[in-house]
Amino acid sequence: MAATKVQAPTPLGIEPSFGFGDRIGCATPGHLAALREAGGAIRGIFAQQSIREMTRTHRTAPEVMKAAVDALEAEGFSDIWSADADHLKTPDDVRVTMSAGFVFFTLDPSGSVDQQADSYSASELATKFEACKDSAPWLDTYRGKTVKFASGSIEFNEPTLRRAAVKYGKAIQATIELGRFVAEEAARQGKPFELELSVDETDQPTTPAEHYLIADQLRQAGVAIVSLAPRFEGDFEKGVDYKGDLASLEHSLGFHAEIAQELGPYKLSLHSGSDKISMYRLLSRATKGRFHVKTAGTSYLEALRVVARSDDALFRRIVDFSRGCYDRDKATYHVSATLADAPPQSEVADAIELERLYLERWEDVPAGKGFTAPGRQVLHCTFGSVMTDPELGPAVKGVLAGNQSAYDEVLRDHFVRHLDPLREG
């Protein structure tokens, strides 16, 4: 196919969108094939990488952008698309990614969130509140207020407000400051931009009251968001399907979607969205198509599937290596798998069985469900260590370079299974 001039990344507004993270730099052809086949009205975000991921893979923002643009041009893609600078924490993060052409900026104030707020006793909460109440000057605005939605009522009583202040007060301030900086930097560079807020990286769910407070405070501060990622109920572990009560999740999604409509409208964003196939229809239906889903590590795992099917010896080395650094590398990820949950490769003679244990295979998965094999998490968390290893990283890239069409095909098949329920929902 003759190369064509691809459009520059552009803000997508509240159109449904899907983020195709590419940690290696050669996944875009397969991502695009899936979107063309099953995306419908869903827009693609083809350059998506966090500062953390770039650090771990030794890639730069311009390199991430160039890999996506070159692939889209080679595939003759002429539609609109976007580029997500994910999990930004500092002004320097913003400057670097904006200069590289990113237009979707995901603000991550998780360092300012009190992760233990939901477990404090009344006395502990009172002490914490006294220490941080200056970061929540909005308390009197909501005290005693009740907001009604179809899914339920939010009552801003004193315990709710104090816990929200302790948990998110400083994070709201940090978000407003960084959001205003993005706008200022965009004006300085003459670049378009849109903002997403991520508050999903917490142990406990974001309550409707907390969601309302966060979004309303951003609105009052003039920081417009196009997307917000709450911490939804249930478990959103890396590399595997959703764990939790789907009926309860459906009600919760509906409640959050009503808040997003009332205070926006903005999209609800699903982070750790890879492989959460059992809940995609619920998300699409609850939001009436105003959603963003973010994936990344699952494309790396599909790269390892190509390795497993092309070079059994290399795949076995990667399994050994990943097991060796899993306990260290998993520290920043929400996973539950232990090394005891998957056997060492030396105990599994059959190559197909080894793939089944560490990657799973679609023929073994019930319709409408995603992968659940614990071994996937061992490989998922260790991507940075593998890809920056002086022997394993180049070896993986070499296998992919020699089997690009196979990689394109497993990605197409993989993401069609993600996009179908989102489109149909």
Side-chain angles (χ1 to χ4, degrees):
M1 181 180 294
T4 187
K5 184 66 175 177
V6 68
Q7 295 188 46
T10 185
L12 301 176
I14 58 174
E15 292 187 70
S17 51
F18 192 96
F20 295 98
D22 179 7
R23 292 174 173 173
I24 300 176
C26 57
T28 298
H31 293 161
L32 179 57
L35 188 71
R36 282 172 162 167
E37 178 177 336
I42 300 171
R43 297 293 189 181
I45 296 183
F46 294 107
Q48 173 205 289
Q49 201 146 93
S50 68
I51 298 297
R52 179 176 66 187
E53 290 170 345
M54 291 184 217
T55 300
R56 290 188 175 185
T57 57
H58 297 177
R59 300 178 78 201
T60 65
E63 287 171 347
V64 172
M65 183 64 67
K66 185 178 188 302
V69 170
D70 288 351
L72 293 174
E73 287 185 347
E75 294 295 323
F77 185 72
S78 59
D79 206 346
I80 66 170
W81 65 290
S82 191
D84 178 6
D86 195 17
H87 287 293
L88 304 177
K89 297 176 182 290
T90 70
D92 282 344
D93 294 343
V94 174
R95 292 189 191 97
V96 168
T97 52
M98 188 177 289
S99 296
F102 289 82
V103 296
F104 185 89
F105 298 92
T106 300
L107 309 183
D108 177 7
S110 58
S112 299
V113 176
D114 187 329
Q115 302 280 356
Q116 307 304 314
D118 290 328
S119 60
Y120 291 142
S121 66
S123 60
E124 289 174 325
L125 184 65
T127 300
K128 294 287 185 179
F129 175 74
E130 286 302 316
C132 76
K133 63 183 180 182
D134 289 344
S135 67
W138 36 263
L139 288 167
D140 288 341
T141 303
Y142 302 99
R143 187 173 280 113
K145 181 178 179 181
T146 297
V147 184
K148 295 183 178 180
F149 293 92
S151 296
S153 296
I154 300 173
E155 296 183 5
F156 291 106
N157 54 38
E158 197 65 23
T160 295
L161 287 170
R162 290 191 171 207
R163 203 169 296 275
V166 170
K167 187 175 181 181
Y168 288 122
K170 293 180 181 178
I172 291 171
Q173 287 188 330
T175 299
I176 291 171
E177 291 173 6
L178 192 56
R180 287 173 172 168
F181 178 81
V182 173
E184 293 166 0
E185 185 65 13
R188 191 185 71 79
Q189 292 194 26
K191 301 285 186 66
F193 76 96
E194 58 188 4
L195 298 176
E196 173 176 270
L197 171 60
S198 165
V199 291
D200 68 299
E201 293 197 345
T202 60
D203 293 334
Q204 299 296 324
T206 307
T207 67
E210 291 162 351
H211 179 171
Y212 189 98
L213 285 169
I214 292 167
D216 196 42
Q217 281 301 296
L218 295 184
R219 183 177 66 165
Q220 291 189 34
V223 177
I225 56 172
V226 74
S227 180
L228 188 146
R231 166 60 164 90
F232 297 113
E233 66 175 59
D235 280 330
F236 292 82
E237 296 186 15
K238 298 294 186 180
V240 296
D241 201 358
Y242 173 75
K243 297 180 179 181
D245 184 324
L246 288 172
S248 179
L249 175 67
E250 184 171 22
H251 178 266
S252 176
L253 288 170
F255 206 156
H256 283 291
E258 289 177 53
I259 296 170
Q261 172 62 32
E262 176 72 19
L263 297 181
Y266 49 82
K267 295 182 282 194
L268 281 188
S269 184
L270 173 59
H271 290 198
S272 299
S274 299
D275 308 303
K276 305 301 183 289
I277 290 174
S278 65
M279 62 158 293
Y280 288 150
R281 279 187 176 83
L282 303 184
L283 175 68
S284 181
R285 187 162 59 235
T287 62
K288 297 181 173 59
R290 287 177 178 166
F291 62 79
H292 176 56
V293 173
K294 193 167 299 198
T295 71
T298 197
S299 292
Y300 169 72
L301 294 179
E302 290 307 298
L304 295 189
R305 190 182 306 281
V306 176
V307 173
R309 295 176 178 180
S310 305
D311 190 333
D312 178 63
L314 175 59
F315 184 62
R316 290 176 181 275
R317 288 175 60 199
I318 291 170
V319 169
D320 284 342
F321 182 89
S322 296
R323 289 177 63 87
C325 54
Y326 175 63
D327 285 337
R328 178 196 67 207
D329 289 0
K330 72 177 183 180
T332 56
Y333 291 101
H334 181 43
V335 291
S336 62
T338 68
L339 293 177
D341 293 325
Q345 62 81 18
S346 59
E347 297 179 7
V348 186
D350 183 71
I352 292 177
E353 181 62 16
L354 188 64
E355 179 186 344
R356 181 175 289 116
L357 289 167
Y358 278 90
L359 295 169
E360 208 163 353
R361 292 164 65 93
W362 282 117
E363 51 262 45
D364 301 322
V365 178
K369 301 295 183 181
F371 292 135
T372 58
R376 290 175 60 83
Q377 296 189 334
V378 176
L379 299 182
H380 182 288
C381 295
T382 53
F383 75 92
S385 296
V386 170
M387 293 310 299
T388 56
D389 182 79
E391 294 183 3
L392 294 180
V396 170
K397 291 180 180 178
V399 169
L400 295 177
N403 296 273
Q404 183 67 51
S405 61
Y407 189 32
D408 295 347
E409 175 55 25
V410 296
L411 287 172
R412 182 206 62 77
D413 178 58
H414 191 66
F415 282 107
V416 163
R417 297 172 189 269
H418 286 62
L419 293 166
D420 274 343
L422 286 167
R423 187 191 70 255
E424 293 167 0

